[in-house]
């Protein structure tokens, strides 16, 4: 970075601030624009696609510059934050007119008022309404890790103590936007979100005691013990996070709830690979569509959507909490008021995020309006709730937190509230007499001027006397030429300007009125700001109760979502137990089913991993539905242990402590790991951590290496899961030889995907049945994928030759020369086209033949889709039924 030697005063100011915030882009306020200079300008102009210009010179070279209007800053900030930039907002700390009036020398005072970073956003335009936005901090002590995370847009603040392996699992659960960590901490796939703690000028606690004192002081307690039991690493991480948040807000204190140690709450453990495999909140491209969340979400508010996502990302391993959730949504499902409750919640504002902006001094009138609307809605919702259900009673108790505040906001705030306080009109007429009188003078200028004009016309006996506003002279009296001489005889009237048809006069009373009108707008604005600040103070006095009300509204939204889902009759309440049962009757994959076109049905399947058969060995061809079945059962576990209904006819589940999914691994080029290495790493994690209460799904272990190596690895893993881990598991494989292990492994039960041949077509039934696959049907799948016919025919011939051969047969058919391919027979579509004589067809015949050709093309390219019905399968099913 260039230095400030020889720079203009304003640029010297820029250099001084930039030296303190080298890793951030400076939004440097200059009048109505935020300007960026030097490297910041190059980066911003590229990221924002705005023009790069130059402003003045530094050391003989033009200074690169670009800028964005202050009024549109949020739009540009959003784009920069999405691209991973941190932005320091540099504001003018004094009014230019006031500085000039007092004769101040040099540039206006400027400084950073806020650091905008991915994990510290509060503006609606910068946040996703239905997604939490966490900032996390990590500290290590004696080999143990503490992680603390907060969402300052809602006030949540939690901590957890964990190991290195557990740390990555927690980060996978949180999907934090920003991670504050020392340079030595390994973050794996979350490394791009790291903020190096060693590069931050933070007031970090020197030891555990200092950390505990810092957190306790923040929340006005004598000791951190008042909020629960926190380990030393948790305390260090929590204090570090608080220091970072304070630093980014330039001393403004974000509103946070007292800390909660999430490690004290029983949760279903899932590592990052499992979460990615199951696509709980987003699909592989990061979009919500195609995820478990999207398929079951029936929430109607932003806060409810965030809480539902939290439940799915952190399922519980705590039976009382889960049964409490179930009891609550079952009661809502059965109440006649469910539809009314749902309709009421549709209008719920995002109170939590509005309250956060209010606490940070960034409130707009619409944030107070959100509090007003939320309080009104909550009060109307309370009488509709069923009573005698613990979770619903708890929610109802927080729905009327501040009736006095609700009444004040209802009377004080205009409807609708303006977007900005500067726009005026935030305070409703009739709330404050002083404001009303100033507004009357400001807004009723025309009537005031007209009345004074009539008075002066009568006083000077000039009926045509007019009051006009002049750009340079202000308000003046305009008199016709015939009255000018008479008016000049009045000493209080001063001739200011002659005109062709008259003259302009000023009058002391008119000048005073002009000044009062001009100042009325200023006084009205000042009074409105004063009243608004009073409303802010009164609101913050009830902050904790308002936050509890917002949490209750979000909870009710999630519960009504579950009730609405269950009321359809296709989702049921699972029976949860403390034993190791695992029984699913007619389970369905919620995401795949939701994606089916209207009229198509999902083929349900059972699963029974209860004792004595706890391990299912699943064989069958590709495209038969193995991967769908594997993930389906894992997703039902997630839903059940989130306290939500499941897509099945019935389900009994002994709570799962750890869930592992090794399905569909891919290479990790960034870390230099092949697909097989990724597969083995994930398999190792399962074998080291899974236990009798765990649930494991694995698919095609050993496929990434030689056949013999792969088979050996697959068998060894299967035996270990059976003998050592003793987990409930579904093990899918193409190694049909493993079926023979059922005789030696008592808890192993072979199943397969049902496949039939009917009228020359191979039909995937997508049904799981006992037994083993007779063959792999790989050639058939290749044909469905569009592999050229000569290739699939050759592959079929080689396969048959191999199946007829023995170990002594030589040479292997794979090394025999391939025969010359026969000329391919014309396709049905080509045959029909060649048979046409366009010159002899009438227009009607040509149109009919065109429809026939289109149908032939459809028949040639149609392929039965996974997990859905097909005409051939339905015909076969009808025949066999």
């Amino acid at each position: 970075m260039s230095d400030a030697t020889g720079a203009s005063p304003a640029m010297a100011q820029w250099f001084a601030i930039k030296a303190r915030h080298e890793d951030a882009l400076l939004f440097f306020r200059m009048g109505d624009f935020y300007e960026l200079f030097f490297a910041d300008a190059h980066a911003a102009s590229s990221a924002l696609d705005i023009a790069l210009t130059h402003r003045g010179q530094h050391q003989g070279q033009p200074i690169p510059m670009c800028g964005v209007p202050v009024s549109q800053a949020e739009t540009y900030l959003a784009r920069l934050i999405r691209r991973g930039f941190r932005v320091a907002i540099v504001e003018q700390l004094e009014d230019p007119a006031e500085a000039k009036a007092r004769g101040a020398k040099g540039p206006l005072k400027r400084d950073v008022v806020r650091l905008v970073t991915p994990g510290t956003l509060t503006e609606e335009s910068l946040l996703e309404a239905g997604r939490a936005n966490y900032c996390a901090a990590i500290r290590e002590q004696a080999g143990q890790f503490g992680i603390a995370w907060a969402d300052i847009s809602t006030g949540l603040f939690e901590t957890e103590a964990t190991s290195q392996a557990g740390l990555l699992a927690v980060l996978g659960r949180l999907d934090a936007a920003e991670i504050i960590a020392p340079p030595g901490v390994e973050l794996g796939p979350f490394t791009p979100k790291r903020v190096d703690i060693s590069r931050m000028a933070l007031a970090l606690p020197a030891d555990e005691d200092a950390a505990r004192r810092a957190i306790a002081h923040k929340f006005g307690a004598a000791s951190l013990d008042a909020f629960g039991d926190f380990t030393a690493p948790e305390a260090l991480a929590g204090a570090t996070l608080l220091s970072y948040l304070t630093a980014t807000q330039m001393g403004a204190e974000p509103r946070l709830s007292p800390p909660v140690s999430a490690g004290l709450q029983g949760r279903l453990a899932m590592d990052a690979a499992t979460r990615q495999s199951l696509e709980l909140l987003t699909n592989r491209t990061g979009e919500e569509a195609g995820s478990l969340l999207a398929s079951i979400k029936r929430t109607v508010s932003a806060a409810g959507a965030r809480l539902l996502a939290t439940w799915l990302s952190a399922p519980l391993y705590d039976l009382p909490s889960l049964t409490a959730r179930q009891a609550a949504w079952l009661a809502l499902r059965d109440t006649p008021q469910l539809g009314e409750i749902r309709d009421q919640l549709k209008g719920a504002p995002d109170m939590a995020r509005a309250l956060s902006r209010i606490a940070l001094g960034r409130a707009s009138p619409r944030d107070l309006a959100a509090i007003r609307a939320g309080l009104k809605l909550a009060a109307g919702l309370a009488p509709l709730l069923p009573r005698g259900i613990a979770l619903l009673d708890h929610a109802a108790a927080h729905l009327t937190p501040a009736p006095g505040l609700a009444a004040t906001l209802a009377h004080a705030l205009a409807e609708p509230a303006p977007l900005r306080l500067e726009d005026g009109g935030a305070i409703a007429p009739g709330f404050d007499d002083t404001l009303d009188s100033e507004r009357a003078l400001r807004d009723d200028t025309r009537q005031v001027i007209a009345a004074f004009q009539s008075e002066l016309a009568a006083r000077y006996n000039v009926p045509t006397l007019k009051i006009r506003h002049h750009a340079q002279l202000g308000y003046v009296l305009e008199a016709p030429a015939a009255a000018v001489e008479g008016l000049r005889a009045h000493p209080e009237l001063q001739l200011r300007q002659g005109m062709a048809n008259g003259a302009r006069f000023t009058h002391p009373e008119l000048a005073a009125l002009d000044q009062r009108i001009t100042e009325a707008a200023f006084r009205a604005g000042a009074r409105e700001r004063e009243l608004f600040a009073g409303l802010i103070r009164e609101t913050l006095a009830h902050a904790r109760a308002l936050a509890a009300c917002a949490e209750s509204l979000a909870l009710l939204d999630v519960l009504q979502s579950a009730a609405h889902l269950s009321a359809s009759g296709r989702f049921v309440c699972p029976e949860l137990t403390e034993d190791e049962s695992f029984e699913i009757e007619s389970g369905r994959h919620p995401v795949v089913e939701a994606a089916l076109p209207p009229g198509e049905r999902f083929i349900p399947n059972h699963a029974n991993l209860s004792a004595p058969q706890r391990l299912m060995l699943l064989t069958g061809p590709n495209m038969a539905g193995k991967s769908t079945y594997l993930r389906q059962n894992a997703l039902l576990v997630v839903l059940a242990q989130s306290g939500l209904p499941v897509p099945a006819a019935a389900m009994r589940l002994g709570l799962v402590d750890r869930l592992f999914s090794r399905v569909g691994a891919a290479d990790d080029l960034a870390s230099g790991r092949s697909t097989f290495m990724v597969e083995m790493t994930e398999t190792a994690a399962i074998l080291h951590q899974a236990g009798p209460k765990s649930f494991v799904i694995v698919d095609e272990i050993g496929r990434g290496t030689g056949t013999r190596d792969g088979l050996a690895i697959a068998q060894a893993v299967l035996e270990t899961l059976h003998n050592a881990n003793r987990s409930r598991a579904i093990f899918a494989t193409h190694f049909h030889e493993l079926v023979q292990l059922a005789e030696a492994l008592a808890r192993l039960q072979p199943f397969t995907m049902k496949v039939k041949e009917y009228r020359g077509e191979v039909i995937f039934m997508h049904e799981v049945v006992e037994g083993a696959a007779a063959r792999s049907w790989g050639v058939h799948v290749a044909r469905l994928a569009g592999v050229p016919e000569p290739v699939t025919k050759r592959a079929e011939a080689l396969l048959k030759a191999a199946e007829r051969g023995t170990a002594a047969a030589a040479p292997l058919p794979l090394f025999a020369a391939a025969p010359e391919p026969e000329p391919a027979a014309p396709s049905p579509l080509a045959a029909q086209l060649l048979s046409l004589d366009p010159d002899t067809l009438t227009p009607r015949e040509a149109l009919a033949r065109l429809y026939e050709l289109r149908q032939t093309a459809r028949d040639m390219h149609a392929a039965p889709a996974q997990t859905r019905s097909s005409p051939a399968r339905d015909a076969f099913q009808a025949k066999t039924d």
Side-chain angles (χ1 to χ4, degrees), residues 297-355:
K297 185 168 73 173
R298 302 294 186 273
T299 53
V300 292
S301 70
R306 290 196 301 271
L307 182 58
L308 178 59
T310 299
W311 282 18
L312 290 177
S313 63
L316 301 180
Y317 182 65
D318 179 71
L319 190 57
S321 297
L322 289 170
T323 54
R325 289 180 181 181
Q326 290 180 338
W329 63 256
L330 283 170
L332 286 181
R333 184 194 66 183
D334 296 336
T335 184
Q337 285 79 32
L338 176 60
E340 189 176 352
I341 291 170
R342 181 176 172 84
D343 289 341
Q344 287 260 35
L345 286 167
K346 285 180 180 177
D350 203 334
M351 288 179 66
R353 286 187 167 172
L355 190 59

Side-chain angles (χ1 to χ4, degrees), residues 29-41:
R29 178 74 176 265
M30 301 189 81
D32 293 332
F33 278 79
Y34 287 118
E35 309 284 12
L36 298 99
F37 301 100
F38 297 104
D40 289 3

Side-chain angles (χ1 to χ4, degrees), residues 523-547:
R523 289 194 300 270
R527 181 60 177 168
E528 189 163 39
R529 288 191 296 273
E530 180 183 345
L531 294 171
F532 188 79
L535 295 176
I536 292 293
R537 288 192 297 272
E538 187 173 351
T539 300
L540 289 177
H542 299 280
R544 184 166 296 184
L546 292 173

Side-chain angles (χ1 to χ4, degrees), residues 364-369 372 413-420 424-426:
S364 74
R366 292 188 182 177
D367 290 320
L368 280 183
R372 175 186 63 185
L413 281 177
E415 180 63 53
L419 179 61
R420 301 182 307 166

Side-chain angles (χ1 to χ4, degrees), residues 181-225:
V185 176
E186 177 56 49
L187 299 184
F190 308 103
T191 301
K193 298 179 179 181
R194 176 198 294 272
V195 176
D196 191 342
I197 201 171
S198 64
R199 297 183 59 190
M200 301 295 299
L202 300 180
L204 296 179
D207 51 33
E208 177 188 350
D209 290 340
R212 291 180 178 277
R213 287 195 301 271
I215 301 175
H217 177 73
K218 158 68 178 175
F219 295 99
S223 168
L224 182 57
D225 296 336

Side-chain angles (χ1 to χ4, degrees), residues 585-610:
E585 179 185 343
S586 299
R588 308 184 310 279
H589 194 301
V591 181
V592 175
E593 183 177 48
L596 291 179
E600 298 210 25
R601 63 186 181 90
F602 187 94
I603 308 300
N605 278 295
H606 308 316
N608 190 338
L609 301 175
S610 298

